[in-house]
Each structure stands twice: as C-alpha cells, then as structure tokens.
Amino acid sequence: MTTIQQRDGAPVTGPRPRRRSRLRRMRDDWWIYLFLLPTLVGYGAYTIYPLVASWWYAFLDWPGFAATGTFVGIENFDRLMDDELFWNAFWNSIVFLVISVPLRVGLALALALVLNRKKTPFKGFFRTLFFLPVVTTGAIVGIVFTLLLDASGPVSGALVWSGLTDTPVNFAAEAETSLYSGIAVWVWKWLGITLIYWLAALQTIPADVHEAAMIDGAGAWREFRHVTLPMLVPFLVIITLIDTVAALNVFDLMQTLTAGGPSFSSEVIEIFIFRTAFGATVPQLGYASAAAVLFGLLTMLIAVVQAVGIRWARRRTGSA
Amino acid sequence: MMAAGTDVEPLTAPESVAAKPPLRSRRIGRPRPGQVGTALVLAVLAGLWIYPFVWLISASLKTSSEIFGGGLDLIPEAPVWENYSRAWTEVGFATYFANSVLITVGTVLLIVVRSALAGYVLGRYDFVGKKLLIGIFLVTFFLPEGYTIIPITQLTDQLGLLNSHIGVILGLGAGGQIAATLLYAGYFRRLPKELEESARIDGAGQFTIFFRVMLPLAWPITATVVILTFLFAWNVYLLPLVFTLSEPELRTLAVGMTVFVGEQSTDWSGMAAAAVISLLPVIAVFVVLQRKFVDSIAGAVKQ
C-alpha cells in the first residue's frame, strides 16, 4: 500500500523513490512553493527587506518624509558616537535590562517554587491573578500607572498615610526614579508569563526525584540547591534569553508612562529611535536608522551570547 | 520538542486543586503554621498584583475630583456611569474599538492562514531551499520591532497603504511571527503519513488534503495561534501609532488612549473609563479561556 508513486513531493520520512535533479524537484514540487508563497512574499517584504533597508538608510541623510535621502557614508554613525542623548538612551536600556531581567526571572522562580508545592492552597487562583497583567495592553498600563503614581494618586497616598514619606511624591516624574518606576511596572506586568515558563519547567522534574531527596533526608533548601536547581539550569538560560529580548522591547510601556522624561532620564533606545524618526519637528530617518541598526546589533549580540549559553548548559546537563 | 498546547499537561487546573481533598499530602495531615504563612504572603502579594485593576474600575466610576481628593477609598460615593458614555461617544472610543476589532481579526486571519500553509510543507515535506528558509527564520527570530519600523513605514507608504486598515494589518501580520509557523510545523510533523496516502488513494489533490484533512486536525495549534496573535494584535502600540499619526479615524484603542491623555490630561475619570473599555475584551477572553491561555504559552515556550 505504500508503493504508490509519489508525484507530489516526498514526505520527509518516506523513502526517496529515485534521485531527481534540483530543477526537476523544484518543478515537481511547485505546489509546495505555492503553499509557501504568502509567507515568502510577506516575510520578504516586511522582515527581510526592512532588515536590509535599515542598513542602507543608516548611510543616508534623509530629513522628513522626502522621497529619498542622499548618501553621506558613515556620517550618521560618526554623529551617534558623539551624541550624548544616544548614549544616554543606550545606557538606560542596559540599566533597564540588567535590573529588570534578574528581578523578573528570580521573583518568578521563587513564586513558581511556592505555587508548585502540593501543599500550597488555591494554586490555580493565584496563578490566574499573577497572570492577569500579562494579557493587558502595555500602552494602557503605562497610562493607568501615570494616574496610580501621580502625587495625588493612591501610591503616593499610601506612602504618606503609612508614614514612609512626608510629602506626596510621583516616582515616575522624578529624574532620579523615573527609569526605576518603569522597571517596577514592567516587572509587575510581565512576571506572570515568566511564572508560567518556570511552572512548565518545574513540571519536567519527575516526582520521584523529590521523593528520593526526602528519603535521603535532604531539607527543602538542600533539595532545591543540589537537586532542583541543577536541573533548572537549561531553563534558566532560555527563560533569561526570552526575558532579555523582551526587556529591549519596552516602547509601549515607557512611552506612555514617562515618554522618556523627565529630561531624558528614562529614555530607552526605542524611544530615542521613535523620537528621532517620527516625533521630532524635522524627522531624521537616516540618523534614526543608524541608531536602529546599532540597536539591532545589540539585540543580536545578546541573543547569540545566550544561544551559546544554551548550548553550554545543555551539554553540561546532558539533556534539555 | 513539544509543540502543542493541548497535549502538554504542565499545570494544575484551578478546579482540580479545589476538588482534591488534602489527602494528597500523605506525610502531613493537617495544615502547618508554615502553610498558613505561605498562603498569607501569597494573598498579600496577589492583592498587590490586582490592586491596579480594582483601583482602575473604582476610578472609572468616580468623578475626577473624587479621584484626586477622595483618599484611598475604593468605593465611589455614587457610581458615575456617565464616564463610560463620555469616553465611548464624545472622545471617540466607539471608533477606536471598531478599529481595534477589525485590525485584530484581520491580523489573526492573515497569520493563521499563512502560518498553517507554510508550517504544513515545512513540517511534512523535503524541498529545495528548506534549510535556507529555516535558517533565515531562526536568525530573524528576535528582531526587535524598533529596528524594522522605519523601512516598514516607508514600504507601506510606497504601497499607498499608509492610512488604511489593510496597511496596519499587513504591517502586523505579513512578516515576523515565526513562532506560529514553527508551532504548525512541529505539529504537522508528528501526524502519520498514512493520512495523506489514504486521501490520495481517494483521489484528493494537495489542496483538498490540506484544507479537508490536515488543517481541521491541527485545530489545537490553530487555537493556540489565534490566542497568541489576538494578544499581540490587540495590545500592539508602536506600529499603529506610527501608521495613524496623520489619520485619527484609524486609531486603535491603545493609540486613541494616548491621544486622549494628551488632549484632556485632567479628565482622570474619563481616562479610567476608557482604559476599562480597552482592557475589558482582552481580560474577558482571558478569564473565559484562561486554561487554554496558560497552556498555549507554556506549550509555545517549550518549542
């Protein structure tokens, strides 16, 4: 019954009937390319083309929405190197990442360990509550928190009421704390999804490992340190990678919460790009593209470093 | 490599927790003080977590002066439903809402169709250029949207689609979204190949096989992709913001909200009502389908 001639492309697992030339195969498999057509066209136009075009734009002086720009070589990159606001945004993004990712990953792990215990009551209910902010719109959340954090809003009110501060304070509107308010709101919003990642990871640890540790008389901490944690290392690397990339995509929340202010104190790199390309009185598309290209390189670099980390972690534990 | 949400069973459902008597913990029969403490800490933390939503609903039913001066009291003196009608009609959230629905539905359809088609051939067939294609997908997996927004805007402008719904839908759904394609590919790979063979004996062509046999079989993945894409399209901000800078009629809820704030920064209660209107659909869908949501995300991350 499996002897019928496979005219329309060979299934991956099936035996190859006979060797065909490349061209012949492509002609025979025309329908496969038809299936791929929407993705090829869409991906080509909306992902590959922008990827390449950004590099081209980065070498242009392109004011506003003029038809096109003029080639200026590496002038944009030269200017970026000396642009204090660019480096300010760059470092703000790095600070955001370095503080928020460990917070998000660590808090979520602690919470997941508690919610993964058999004895914890109302697990499903708590999980739902912590997940709720994840589904909400980042831009709306940013605006809602401008109200919550306002000097006459509830956060400030609660701090004054409890005596922690003497005068009403708006953390999002102070240059010293605006970036950190953004980090706090971001961790609040996204903790739930990292929690789900961790719970999924913890499910892969077989129950008999726990029982064996119990029989050996290991306490909760020692069991975590010597049994659970080593098994979680590959997941730690993957979850950190996902959350790190997420920490570089915070435009919606930061733009609506602080818009980068006051006086650029919370301006992350995406806001810099947006402001330069679309928000300024004279938009500078070439200059913004140069910043975007550097931003893309940074993201890729981090992804590559972590991909190497994943490989390493997998080899170390011998599985994943 | 797990692919699907439905055959992953990573988490305990709320019902089963409530249904199971504490017999399950064999070693300890009654709750210890530590357990009560844990529950208490969790409850306080969970309270903090949902406080912004409770406050938002409360604020949406107060007058603006009551929000400013009413202290920490969450119960409004008398619910002001007028906040909602003001946001809906005067501020224009009825239009924004319709735009968000249209753009979300269009994006979900586009991504489901093109990801299912591509995932099917990537998962089940060998063809010239397959390795290259997968390589490109993986390299561009983490491309940030801030990186591509300028060329995408230029491209859409040149296509004459800058101030149209279809322009926004294409911008959101035509590129990227590789996770959906990989989810489909992973699922289709595991279906037995006898499926196609018997259909082929019955004389069905490739397209009939796909639409009549394979796509219906992949409904768990379709459900996952619909949920994840719905979340993405409903909540996205940067692209609709840039695309509708000069066309107020096309604003989505998220964009309309920021314009509202810019224009009437003192109407707190109107803002709160508008925020509730914007968040309600996505929260409602989540509450109804929460099990599927959580499984989708847990399943997708295992890919």
Side-chain angles (χ1 to χ4, degrees):
Chain A
M1 52 183 253
T2 48
T3 51
I4 45 161
Q5 183 65 30
Q6 306 249 327
R7 281 179 299 120
D8 308 320
V12 175
T13 47
R16 292 260 178 82
R18 66 191 133 88
R19 289 199 63 82
R20 296 173 293 169
S21 76
R22 252 162 193 270
L23 219 68
R24 179 74 195 280
R25 277 176 67 196
M26 286 180 81
R27 211 183 58 200
D28 286 352
D29 297 347
W30 63 272
W31 67 273
I32 288 183
Y33 299 101
L34 197 64
F35 270 52
L36 285 171
L37 193 67
T39 297
L40 290 180
V41 172
Y43 209 72
Y46 284 89
T47 302
I48 305 299
Y49 165 75
L51 184 74
V52 179
S54 286
W55 278 98
W56 170 238
Y57 289 179
F59 295 99
L60 301 178
D61 177 32
W62 191 349
F65 284 91
T68 185
T70 46
F71 186 81
V72 290
I74 59 160
E75 192 190 295
N76 287 327
F77 293 100
D78 252 359
R79 267 177 65 204
L80 274 179
M81 291 302 125
D82 296 331
D83 189 339
E84 271 176 37
L85 284 179
F86 171 74
W87 288 110
N88 167 63
F90 183 88
W91 286 116
N92 279 343
S93 281
I94 299 289
V95 168
F96 193 104
L97 192 158
V98 167
I99 296 179
S100 69
V101 172
L103 258 181
R104 184 173 150 186
V105 174
L107 272 178
L109 174 60
L111 210 54
L113 286 168
V114 173
L115 288 180
N116 196 48
R117 286 207 310 222
K118 279 191 182 136
K119 288 169 280 182
T120 305
F122 310 117
K123 286 186 274 203
F125 175 69
F126 283 126
R127 199 188 62 203
T128 302
L129 284 188
F130 288 118
F131 193 76
L132 190 62
V134 171
V135 303
T136 58
T137 312
I140 309 271
V141 164
I143 289 164
V144 171
F145 270 88
T146 61
L147 306 182
L148 281 162
L149 291 171
D150 192 276
S152 53
V155 172
S156 168
L159 288 175
V160 172
W161 175 82
S162 64
L164 286 171
T165 52
D166 300 332
T167 48
V169 60
N170 181 351
F171 292 112
E174 301 287 334
E176 293 81 25
T177 50
S178 57
L179 186 62
Y180 304 99
S181 334
I183 291 173
V185 176
W186 187 79
V187 171
W188 169 81
K189 184 181 184 323
W190 291 108
L191 189 80
I193 201 165
T194 312
L195 171 68
I196 300 299
Y197 299 158
W198 275 126
L199 284 170
L202 287 172
Q203 294 292 323
T204 64
I205 297 177
D208 50 352
V209 170
H210 168 68
E211 306 203 338
M214 285 291 248
I215 291 164
D216 289 350
W221 168 249
R222 282 190 53 204
E223 183 191 334
F224 173 71
R225 174 70 188 77
H226 295 288
V227 182
T228 315
L229 197 60
M231 298 182 84
L232 289 179
V233 166
F235 294 99
L236 175 70
V237 180
I238 293 167
I239 292 172
T240 306
L241 169 66
I242 295 173
D243 285 2
T244 302
V245 173
L248 290 169
N249 286 279
V250 295
F251 176 79
D252 49 359
L253 183 69
M254 293 308 288
Q255 175 71 14
T256 50
L257 183 67
T258 66
S263 58
F264 307 104
S265 60
S266 61
E267 183 169 273
V268 289
I269 201 148
E270 291 170 285
I271 297 183
F272 177 86
I273 295 169
F274 173 79
R275 189 169 55 78
T276 314
F278 304 106
T281 41
V282 182
Q284 306 173 71
L285 292 180
Y287 192 53
S289 291
V293 162
L294 291 183
F295 173 48
L297 277 181
L298 172 73
T299 313
M300 258 187 188
L301 187 75
I302 291 172
V304 167
V305 166
Q306 303 209 353
V308 171
I310 291 175
R311 282 256 171 92
W312 171 82
R314 279 192 176 159
R315 212 176 307 139
R316 219 191 88 173
T317 54
S319 72
Chain B
M1 265 239 188
M2 295 299 292
T6 43
D7 43 20
V8 185
E9 196 76 346
L11 306 158
T12 327
E15 310 85 68
S16 62
V17 173
K20 272 172 206 150
L23 286 171
R24 292 233 27 189
S25 55
R26 285 154 297 174
R27 239 162 257 102
I28 300 119
R30 59 202 151 83
R32 289 182 309 169
Q35 248 174 291
V36 178
T38 310
L40 223 66
V41 171
L42 270 180
V44 169
L45 206 58
L48 267 178
W49 236 249
I50 56 159
Y51 178 81
F53 298 112
V54 178
W55 180 85
L56 181 65
I57 292 168
S58 144
S60 74
L61 294 170
K62 290 176 173 178
T63 61
S64 283
S65 59
E66 200 184 343
I67 302 175
F68 274 114
L72 296 171
D73 201 352
L74 283 172
I75 314 289
E77 280 164 25
V80 190
W81 297 103
E82 195 267 332
N83 293 330
Y84 282 89
S85 53
R86 189 170 69 249
W88 187 254
T89 52
E90 281 174 44
V91 188
F93 272 74
T95 316
Y96 303 157
F97 196 92
N99 286 333
S100 274
V101 169
L102 192 65
I103 286 168
T104 302
V105 169
T107 307
V108 168
L109 279 177
L110 175 62
I111 289 178
V112 165
V113 171
R114 89 167 163 83
S115 306
L117 284 168
Y120 174 64
V121 291
L122 280 172
R124 292 185 81 75
Y125 295 95
D126 230 348
F127 54 89
V128 177
K130 179 177 174 175
K131 282 207 178 112
L132 177 74
L133 201 58
I134 291 179
I136 291 174
F137 284 165
L138 294 182
V139 168
T140 53
F141 196 87
F142 286 119
L143 207 61
E145 65 170 354
Y147 180 97
T148 52
I149 186 70
I150 298 169
I152 286 182
T153 311
Q154 287 303 123
L155 176 73
T156 310
D157 194 20
Q158 277 156 23
L159 291 172
L161 297 172
L162 198 51
N163 290 312
S164 68
H165 290 108
I166 198 85
V168 179
I169 292 171
L170 284 174
L172 293 175
Q177 306 300 327
I178 282 316
T181 309
L182 296 181
L183 279 172
Y184 271 112
Y187 188 80
F188 281 125
R189 188 180 300 125
R190 287 181 298 143
L191 294 178
K193 70 177 193 302
E194 284 78 13
L195 280 171
E196 278 129 323
E197 285 166 2
S198 58
R200 215 169 273 138
I201 290 168
D202 294 344
Q206 285 301 341
F207 296 92
T208 319
I209 293 175
F210 176 74
F211 285 107
R212 290 276 168 77
V213 182
M214 300 313 254
L215 193 57
L217 277 176
W219 72 267
I221 298 299
T222 304
T224 298
V225 172
V226 166
I227 285 177
L228 295 178
T229 315
F230 166 69
L231 269 188
F232 159 73
W234 189 269
N235 291 337
V236 69
Y237 179 59
L238 177 61
L239 191 132
L241 175 69
V242 171
F243 276 29
T244 60
L245 280 176
S246 56
E247 188 57 59
E249 283 297 296
L250 276 172
R251 284 173 192 153
T252 58
L253 286 164
V255 179
M257 186 77 200
T258 50
V259 175
F260 182 23
V261 173
E263 285 168 1
Q264 290 167 341
S265 57
T266 52
D267 187 2
W268 277 33
S269 52
M271 266 181 234
V276 172
I277 291 172
S278 312
L279 296 181
L280 208 57
V282 77
I283 289 180
V285 172
F286 166 63
V287 168
V288 173
L289 297 175
Q290 51 162 305
R291 182 78 201 284
K292 186 68 197 157
F293 258 74
V294 167
D295 285 354
S296 291
I297 284 160
V301 76
K302 287 191 173 180
Q303 254 290 63

